[in-house]
Amino acid sequence: MMEDSYVEWLVKRKDPAYAIPLKALMVLVCIFSVFMALQTVLGVILMTAVFIGTYFVFINLSIEYEYLYADGGLRIDRIMGKARRKKIFDCDKEDVQFVAPADSYMLKDYESSGIKLMDCSSGRKDGKVYAMIYQKGADHKKILFEPNEKMVKAMRRAYLRRMVA
């Protein structure tokens, strides 16, 4: 029973449509900057700046989300470039209003005009996306995420009437 109250799941975000052309452009600019570096001292500075910029573009286009469900609480971390991790969402069981598939009509009653949307899903059309309505004080959010079956079962036990699966 203890292993059911702790579930981890990693989801890779689908690259946006502009990722491949942007990566190709950055590689071409790097090649051009190498030729500039061979010609002038200013070219070396340009090449260094371009290489640093290219590194950050590649890192920021590779994003994964790690979901950590433990004892009714959910934590979501964004992992950039398989190296840098940042906590972007954390909630306790008491702050969860409702959890349902993202396309469920049941969510309409829980959404208000001031709700913020956080999309922590892969962005793939075939993904089974769930929406969590979270409220703590004035902070009101709708979080989109893609749990695996083990996480859905654990959430169903913890949230009882607040979850539609």
Side-chain angles (χ1 to χ4, degrees), residues 18-34:
Y18 61 84
I20 293 173
L22 182 61
K23 286 179 179 180
L25 177 67
M26 293 305 290
V27 169
L28 289 174
V29 171
C30 283
I31 292 169
F32 176 74
S33 70
V34 168

Side-chain angles (χ1 to χ4, degrees), residues 83-146:
R84 294 191 348 228
R85 173 185 299 265
K86 182 179 180 186
K87 179 178 80 168
I88 58 170
F89 178 73
D90 198 0
C91 76
D92 295 323
K93 181 178 178 179
E94 300 79 33
D95 303 326
V96 174
Q97 301 293 309
F98 200 73
V99 179
D103 56 359
S104 174
Y105 71 93
M106 301 280 285
L107 289 167
K108 301 293 183 239
D109 297 339
Y110 288 88
E111 294 181 10
S112 67
S113 59
I115 196 166
K116 294 179 208 160
L117 177 68
M118 284 181 64
D119 190 351
C120 302
S121 66
S122 70
R124 300 187 198 293
K125 289 186 181 2
D126 61 342
K128 182 73 170 138
V129 179
Y130 277 75
M132 173 185 282
I133 305 296
Y134 160 86
Q135 184 171 8
K136 184 168 188 166
D139 194 16
H140 199 195
K141 293 179 184 170
K142 176 181 178 181
I143 293 89
L144 299 178
F145 66 110
E146 291 181 45

Side-chain angles (χ1 to χ4, degrees), residues 1-10 66-77 89-94 96 99 132 145-160 162-163:
M1 193 71 159
M2 177 60 185
E3 68 274 355
D4 290 341
S5 65
Y6 180 86
V7 183
E8 284 185 64
W9 185 240
L10 189 70
E66 182 183 58
Y67 312 132
L68 174 61
Y69 174 80
D71 298 322
L74 181 67
R75 175 183 168 148
I76 301 176
D77 290 345
F89 178 73
D90 198 0
C91 76
D92 295 323
K93 181 178 178 179
E94 300 79 33
V96 174
V99 179
M132 173 185 282
F145 66 110
E146 291 181 45
N148 60 4
E149 281 302 314
K150 188 175 178 184
M151 191 175 289
V152 169
K153 287 178 186 176
M155 289 176 134
R156 194 176 300 133
R157 275 192 296 278
Y159 299 145
L160 297 174
R162 293 179 284 172
M163 178 153 185

Side-chain angles (χ1 to χ4, degrees), residues 20-52:
I20 293 173
L22 182 61
K23 286 179 179 180
L25 177 67
M26 293 305 290
V27 169
L28 289 174
V29 171
C30 283
I31 292 169
F32 176 74
S33 70
V34 168
F35 288 123
M36 291 294 292
L38 296 173
Q39 311 249 331
T40 64
V41 175
L42 189 60
V44 174
I45 296 169
L46 175 71
M47 180 184 73
T48 305
V50 167
F51 277 30
I52 291 170

